Structure formats: C-alpha cells, structure tokens
Amino acid sequence: MFLADRWQDFELLYCGEGEKYERWGDIYLQRPDPQAIWPKTGYSGMQEKHWPKPHAVYHRSESGGGHWSKEKPMPQKWKIHYDAVGRPLTFIIEPTSFKHTGLFPEQAANWDFCGKLIKKAVEQGRKPRILNLFAYTGGATMAFAAAGAAEVVHVDASKGMVQRAKENMAASSLEDCYIRFIVEDCGRFVEREIRRGRKYDGIIMDPPAYGRGPSGEMWKLEDALFPLVEKCEQLISDDPLFFLINSYTTGLSSMVIEDILRLAVKSKHGGTVVSEELGLPCTKMDAVLPCGSTGRWTKEEICTKMDAVLPCGSTGRWTKEEI
C-alpha cells in the first residue's frame, strides 16, 4: 500500500461504521467513508463518544447528496500546508455539498513519488514537461511545479475546479512556475495534442467513474479508460519519467489498472509497472483507511513474459507476530 504519511496539517484520527474523523489544520471534520466498515472502536478501545467534538459533520440524504451541519464556529474556507519535494505547498480547503473538501490528502503519496523523479531529472539538466488530466484542484499540478518541472499542463472540464487550482497556485507562491490551465474535455485535449505532435515526460490522470463529454456523450470508466490510455501513450516522450493512473471506483482493482499500463504503455516502452491501494494511516487507532488505487509506470527495464495478471479477489492475513 502507498501511504500518505508525511502530513503535518492533515490527520485521520479515527474511522469506523462508515465514517471518518479528520483534522484539517485546526478544523475537525466528520464525514462518511464506505470503506470504514469496522466498529468505531480504536486499538485502545476508544469509542465515538470519546472523540473530540467536530466543527462540522456531513449527513447523507436518502434522496442523494447531503449537507454539513456546523457543530462549532468555523471559517467557510481555510488553508493547510504540505512539505512537498522542492518547496512547501499551500492548499485552500472548503467543504462542499458533495462531502469533499477540495483536496484528496492520500494523493500526497503520488506527489512525493513523482516529485522525486522530476527533481532528479532537473538535477541531471533535463526540463520535464508534465501532463495532468482530470486535474481537479491541482494538488499534483502544484507538487510537480514545486519539484522543478519546466511545464505542467493542467486539464479539467470544470471551470470552477480550474479556478480553485489557480488559487492554490497563488497560495503556494508558484507564480514563477510555468503552469498551463486548460478547461476542456480531457479526451478531446489528448486527441488535439496527438495531432500537434506534443510530447510529455510524465502523465498522470484521475478519471471519474461516470461523466458526460462536451457533446453529451457518456463517459464510463470501464469502457473509456483503456482507449484513453492508448491515446496518451502516443504523447510519451523518448525519455519519459512516469505514467500514473488513479481510480476511486470500487469495482476497479489496482491490478486492473496495472494490467492496463502493462498492455497499453509497457508493451511499447518497456519499463516497470506496479500498482497498490492508496492509504491514510489512522493516528489514534490501529487501522489504515484504503482510499482508491494507483498504477505507476516508470521507465525501468525488467524481464517479463506474458504481461498481464487477472485479479481474482482480495485476501487479508493475520499472524501472531509483533509489529
């Protein structure tokens, strides 16, 4: 599991019974999480009644969506910081009606992984160009710029998300970095870049499970992901650093993502593919909350035969060993 365990301004304290309790700077939030199916009892026996009172709690609606109820005075939005590779970052946090906050802290594991590759390339005299598709509020975009990327292209179909990404850039004092913000359907953007002959040293994408394109066409991850990755493969430079795919779709295992990268990218460029769940460690109980899956391709040579593995379920193992 890829753990995002270097946060100072974010902390997952407890989780259980479909909820999680987090600290975002000085603000405490309680919101749903379907992965936390165990009881609200920590390693030391702490129950929910002993949890500190949150500033706000998110309540789901039976008809869909939900709302926040404020339990204590709190600002509408505030800032938190992350010590990324290269320089510190600042992000604006604002709870939304969809329970999100404008940032996925588990993605810091990917920021650090890619940031180190970018920083090493820069130290070698290279000028990496990075493409961030379905880029949301720009966590990865800021991390890549901070690590020294010569250019980061940030693409998202939501004008509001791109605007927040620009605000995160300003909050992180990254105006001196070359970041191109583009509001467009990611598939159409990739097709145009292919026609232009553009190349990228790193590509990362975080596609949604469902959506609609600019002409109303339906996007379904299971059907559209592999063709999109095949197209993106044509944008890979001659000396690439990485290709990452993130997924929060519960029915899509990390092994499926790994197979896609093997078949669409590694088969043509060689290198190495690994995949894992992303995780946030609970600081006040003996648990790690899974938060989606990531597949990582890097340009490292390995020996291989048939390059696909069929995922066949999951297993948890307990043994009597001290940890």
Side-chain angles (χ1 to χ4, degrees), residues 281-292:
C282 294
T283 61
K284 303 299 183 183
M285 62 187 298
D286 192 19
V288 175
L289 183 65
C291 304

Side-chain angles (χ1 to χ4, degrees), residues 289-310:
L289 183 65
C291 304
S293 301
T294 287
R296 298 171 175 175
W297 173 86
T298 55
K299 185 64 176 178
E300 298 175 4
E301 293 298 332
I302 60 172
C303 296
T304 182
K305 302 185 290 183
M306 173 60 184
D307 224 1
V309 179
L310 182 65

Side-chain angles (χ1 to χ4, degrees), residues 30-160:
Q30 187 171 330
R31 53 185 180 144
D33 195 296
Q35 296 289 333
I37 63 173
W38 45 84
K40 290 180 178 177
T41 302
Y43 184 73
S44 60
M46 179 168 284
Q47 309 251 340
E48 182 183 13
K49 64 182 179 181
H50 299 298
W51 298 6
K53 185 176 180 180
H55 289 80
V57 178
Y58 187 87
H59 304 277
R60 286 195 180 279
S61 170
E62 293 182 359
S63 58
H67 70 281
W68 290 92
S69 64
K70 292 186 177 181
E71 308 295 323
K72 295 192 294 187
M74 60 176 286
Q76 178 182 341
K77 55 185 177 180
W78 63 98
K79 297 177 181 179
I80 67 171
H81 310 280
Y82 185 72
D83 188 16
V85 175
R87 57 207 279 189
L89 300 176
T90 299
F91 298 106
I92 298 169
I93 304 302
E94 182 176 12
T96 72
S97 59
F98 299 102
K99 85 165 181 173
H100 298 306
T101 62
L103 192 70
F104 292 92
E106 62 274 7
Q107 289 294 333
N110 284 330
W111 305 344
D112 291 347
F113 173 78
C114 297
K116 291 175 183 177
L117 293 175
I118 293 170
K119 185 174 184 291
K120 181 179 178 180
V122 172
E123 291 171 348
Q124 294 172 344
R126 297 180 56 187
K127 298 180 178 180
R129 174 186 291 164
I130 311 298
L131 175 61
N132 185 7
L133 297 173
F134 308 97
Y136 194 50
T137 59
T141 296
M142 306 311 144
F144 300 162
E151 177 184 2
V152 183
V153 179
H154 175 112
V155 186
D156 198 285
S158 170
K159 185 176 180 180

Side-chain angles (χ1 to χ4, degrees), residues 103-270:
L103 192 70
F104 292 92
E106 62 274 7
Q107 289 294 333
N110 284 330
W111 305 344
D112 291 347
F113 173 78
C114 297
K116 291 175 183 177
L117 293 175
I118 293 170
K119 185 174 184 291
K120 181 179 178 180
V122 172
E123 291 171 348
Q124 294 172 344
R126 297 180 56 187
K127 298 180 178 180
R129 174 186 291 164
I130 311 298
L131 175 61
N132 185 7
L133 297 173
F134 308 97
Y136 194 50
T137 59
T141 296
M142 306 311 144
F144 300 162
E151 177 184 2
V152 183
V153 179
H154 175 112
V155 186
D156 198 285
S158 170
K159 185 176 180 180
M161 293 299 101
V162 172
Q163 178 58 38
R164 176 50 53 89
K166 292 179 179 179
E167 294 170 1
N168 283 331
M169 178 185 69
S172 297
S173 300
L174 292 172
E175 293 93 340
D176 59 321
C177 299
Y178 184 32
I179 302 175
R180 293 173 56 210
F181 293 100
I182 298 174
V183 180
E184 188 176 356
D185 173 75
C186 290
R188 289 194 173 184
F189 174 81
V190 168
E191 290 172 355
R192 192 171 71 249
E193 292 292 88
I194 292 172
R195 293 194 296 270
R196 290 175 173 175
R198 294 261 294 179
K199 299 293 181 179
Y200 292 90
D201 303 300
I203 299 175
I204 185 170
M205 63 173 66
D206 194 350
Y210 297 96
R212 288 192 179 276
S215 301
E217 62 271 25
M218 176 63 74
W219 163 280
K220 185 178 180 182
L221 185 64
E222 292 87 343
D223 299 330
L225 181 57
F226 190 85
L228 177 61
V229 174
E230 280 192 309
K231 292 177 182 177
C232 288
E233 178 274 324
Q234 300 177 57
L235 301 178
I236 295 176
S237 70
D238 293 334
D239 191 14
L241 300 176
F242 59 81
F243 194 130
L244 266 70
I245 303 174
N246 293 305
S247 174
Y248 288 92
T249 304
T250 55
L252 202 66
S253 74
S254 61
M255 199 68 237
V256 171
I257 299 173
E258 181 171 330
D259 283 341
I260 289 173
L261 286 171
R262 288 178 186 273
L263 298 171
V265 179
K266 182 173 179 284
S267 64
K268 298 182 180 179
H269 298 270

